[in-house]
Amino acid sequence: MDVVIGVDQKETADSERQLRSLYEWLLADAACRRHACPALGSGTAAVPGAQGGLIDVLSLVLGTGFNAASLAVAVAAWRRSRPGTPTLVVERPDGTRIVLTGAAGEEAGRLLAELERERA
């Protein structure tokens, strides 16, 4: 399953720095680096001839080597390490958006439940 993570639109001034931080956090996890293939990018279509856009999404693939539970734990740990606990938006392939705003530990369980719901 492909998952796209972004920072809440209200926090745009700092969103690229936050996504780069999460990206580096995920790359530090050997299973994520090997199996989920995290990648930074832009969620908007590029304009031909224009300079590249801002980085506003982090995409990765969930599977057996790095699953929804692994992602939930990694995101919760990263959010706990950040001042101000950034609000993240996780989007599933079916368009379902999961907004993580509360305490990192509580949100990890909700993220896992929402990501696993697709398999049912």
Side-chain angles (χ1 to χ4, degrees), residues 46-69:
V47 176
Q51 187 174 1
L54 291 174
I55 292 172
D56 62 355
V57 294
L58 168 64
S59 60
L60 55 145
V61 179
L62 302 182
T64 56
F66 191 81
N67 58 21

Side-chain angles (χ1 to χ4, degrees), residues 31-45:
C32 180
R33 189 175 56 247
R34 201 169 322 123
H35 301 289
C37 304
L40 292 169
S42 176
T44 58

Side-chain angles (χ1 to χ4, degrees), residues 52-93:
L54 291 174
I55 292 172
D56 62 355
V57 294
L58 168 64
S59 60
L60 55 145
V61 179
L62 302 182
T64 56
F66 191 81
N67 58 21
S70 301
L71 177 63
V73 168
V75 167
W78 175 80
R79 288 183 73 230
R80 275 193 302 272
S81 76
R82 309 301 300 164
T85 314
T87 299
L88 295 180
V89 179
V90 180
E91 190 166 338
R92 295 187 331 196

